[in-house]
Structure formats: structure tokens, C-alpha cells
Amino acid sequence: MKTGVIIKSTGKYYDIKDDSDGSKVHGIIRGKFKLKGFKLTNPVAVGDQVHYEMEDDVAVIKSIQERKNYVIRQSPRKKHHLQIIASNIDQVVLIVTIIEPNLKPGFIDRFLLLTETYQIPVIIVFNKSDLYGPDEKNIFDTLKTIYEGIGYNVMLVSCFTGEGINALQQVVKEKISLISGQSGVGKSSIINQLKPQLDLRTKEISGYSGKGQHTTTFAEMFSLDEGGYIIDTPGIKTLGFNYLEVMDVAHNFREFFDVSKDCKFADCTHRNEPQCAVKKAIENGMISFLRYQNYLQIIDDIENQNYWERIKDY
Ligand code: GDP
Ligand code: ZN
């Protein structure tokens, strides 16, 4: 039996890089692979280590090795499916920008829910620094303080001036990095800086909506000349959480979880419960009010969505 790593996953076919000779083969799956009973749009994901056998010139994937970690999201197309973005990664580089397009309130906190289950390190990269005036710089400084305060790495870069690009190259060197972000933030431009041979197409932001166009449809892994791999992923529009419960969110806001052992109730949702350690920490300035607002919004969304789901069952 041969072994290899999935370097591209479309949900229909899979590209595999063979472990022994590095050759690239086209793979398919037969039968069913499931994850904790959830339906998956892509049972085999980029980063998966697989066993396969050649049948004619097609690689038939027989099994997936246990994943060290993975990043999963609600499928943007099929509401009750989950999509594994990638597996077996060392870190995530989340690309955002404060303007062009405007940073969506809560987006970073929503994204961090995807990586927290496995405590995957996240580097939050603010791109387009060349466009930041004093207001944007202030916002950046505030966000940097918040996110570094809870253990994330925050960087400021510009593809146009080159600011921070060398530092980013050092960060991705010899690591497997998943690169993600909303459409239009400059993900393709950054990847082109990290691996110029790829020459990914970048798209002008359409003046009307302020949103960039999709340039990537499927996740794909590339090797870097300096060592390491990057995984390019489709731009994210929205992140839904119909597969989570309120307590899942509470547990995955890391600084809330840290103090929540001092809440009076073990299942405290940190809203109106008495003697809530999270609310006390917000009053003391130990926990960011911005994070708290975003948390409330997410659990509200989840409860509303579950409400409508239940009504449908009547
Ligand atoms: P993607 O959708 O995230 O892959 O974004 P692209 O790389 O296609 O970039 C979207 C738009 O932002 C393009 O017009 C880029 O030229 C522009 N862009 C990318 N990086 C920067 C930057 O650092 N500064 C400025 N001002 N524009 C940038
Ligand atoms: Zn509480």
C-alpha cells in the first residue's frame, strides 16, 4: 500500500503527493468516511495522510490516518454539512485588513472559534498597512493589544510597500501554515510574495461593493522554497455555527474559559447569571469588552438559529 498527503481536495477528486517519491497522483474515494456522525462535504481534506492503491492510473484512497488536528467550518453551500478546511497543520495565518474591505465586526473572534478546539496557533496579519491613516493605526494598536493579550501573534504588513513581509516569511518558514481570510483582504497577493512562482491571480476590488472577487475555489497545499508548506484556502464570506452549542462557544473563548472556573454556576453562559467571573473580569478590564460583545452576538445567533430549527420540526 502506498502513502501520501492530500495536497488538493475538491470533494470529488483529490490530488495526492506520494510520500516516497514526491510524485503527484489523482485520487478518488470509494465508500464512506464520516466524522462524528456529521455529514462532510469533503471527507478527505488537504493535509490528510492517506493510504492508497493505484487502480489503472487512479489512486484509490483506502484510509485516512488519524488527524493530529483539523480546522472545520459550516459548509457555505450546504447548511447541514461541515467542511474540513485542512488537517495536520502547525499554524494558521489569518489575513485581515482594517479598510478595503472594512474589517467586519466580530469576524476575527468568529474565526478563532475554528482554531481553538485544537489550540492551533494563529498569527493575525493586518494587511494593507499602506492605506492606514491615524484612525486605522489606532484601531490596529487596540486590536493588537487585545489579541496579543490572549496569546495570538499579531503582525502588520503591506504587499505594496513590503512592510512586514520578511517577518512573515520567517513565520511560515519550515511550518505547515493554513492561510485564510475574507475575500479581498489580499490573501493571493501575500501568497504571491511568499511564493512568487505561483503568480496567483489577484482581482481588483469592485468599487461598488468594496468586496474582492473569489480567486480560489478549493484548498491547495504548496511547498515553499525556504522549507515548509502553505495551504491556500477559498476566501471566507461568512462563518455560521449551526453545529455548535452555546457552551461550546463559552469554552472556546480562551480567556473566558480560564476565569470561568470561578463562576458560581458550572454551566454559566456569562450573560445574566449571578457571580459570573467573566463579567467581573470585564469590569476589572482583564477581559476585553469588544470580545465580550462579539461573544454575545455569536451565542445569540446560535440560539436564534436553533429556535428556528426547532420550529421547523413541529
Ligand atoms: P484576496 O481576495 O484576499 O486573494 O485578495 P487579492 O490578493 O486578490 O487582493 C485584493 C485587492 O487588494 C487587489 O486589488 C490587490 O491589489 C489589493 N491589495 C493587496 N494587498 C494590498 C496592500 O498591501 N495594500 C493595498 N493598498 N492593496 C493591496
Ligand atoms: Zn460566568
Side-chain angles (χ1 to χ4, degrees), residues 155-285:
M155 299 177 72
L156 186 62
V157 311
S158 165
C159 291
F160 282 16
T161 65
E163 178 179 10
I165 297 294
N166 283 340
L168 185 58
Q169 273 161 342
Q170 292 307 312
V171 164
V172 296
K173 199 172 158 182
E174 279 150 23
K175 296 264 171 62
I176 302 175
S177 308
L178 173 75
I179 307 206
S180 188
Q182 293 193 283
S183 309
V185 295
K187 183 168 56 64
S188 312
S189 307
I190 286 183
I191 291 174
N192 284 339
Q193 300 269 343
L194 299 175
K195 188 168 169 96
Q197 309 93 297
L198 280 178
D199 196 19
L200 296 182
R201 276 191 310 137
T202 60
K203 293 241 177 79
E204 283 308 310
I205 294 186
S206 57
Y208 208 68
S209 66
K211 283 190 182 127
Q213 305 282 324
H214 267 285
T215 45
T216 317
T217 321
F218 303 108
E220 188 164 2
M221 188 190 287
F222 303 105
S223 62
L224 295 171
D225 295 345
E226 296 78 15
Y229 296 86
I230 49 175
I231 300 171
D232 185 16
T233 59
I236 295 177
K237 283 218 178 79
T238 55
L239 288 171
F241 294 109
N242 66 7
Y243 57 101
L244 292 183
E245 303 284 339
V246 169
M247 285 319 287
D248 296 327
V249 182
H251 288 157
N252 286 303
F253 266 66
R254 50 170 68 175
E255 75 279 34
F256 294 17
F257 183 70
D258 286 347
V259 302
S260 66
K261 58 183 185 308
D262 295 326
C263 292
K264 181 170 186 206
F265 300 106
D267 58 352
C268 185
T269 64
H270 321 309
R271 279 179 291 200
N272 304 313
E273 294 92 337
Q275 295 173 46
C276 168
V278 169
K279 285 178 75 170
K280 199 183 225 165
I282 293 161
E283 279 161 26
N284 298 338

Side-chain angles (χ1 to χ4, degrees), residues 57-121:
D57 53 359
V58 174
V60 180
I61 298 167
K62 299 288 178 177
S63 64
I64 310 169
Q65 282 180 35
E66 197 184 334
R67 297 175 175 118
K68 177 178 93 174
N69 61 29
Y70 52 87
V71 179
I72 199 162
R73 64 174 293 196
Q74 182 183 319
S75 163
R77 283 177 207 90
K78 294 183 178 173
K79 207 168 163 232
H80 293 284
H81 283 64
L82 295 177
Q83 176 188 36
I84 307 179
I85 302 177
S87 70
N88 302 321
I89 58 176
D90 294 324
Q91 58 188 14
V92 171
V93 174
L94 175 63
I95 302 173
V96 298
T97 171
I98 293 169
I99 42 173
E100 288 194 27
N102 287 346
L103 181 59
K104 236 190 184 162
F107 177 75
I108 295 175
D109 301 304
R110 284 178 171 263
F111 187 90
L112 294 176
L113 279 180
L114 309 186
T115 50
E116 195 56 17
T117 330
Y118 285 100
Q119 295 178 11
I120 300 168

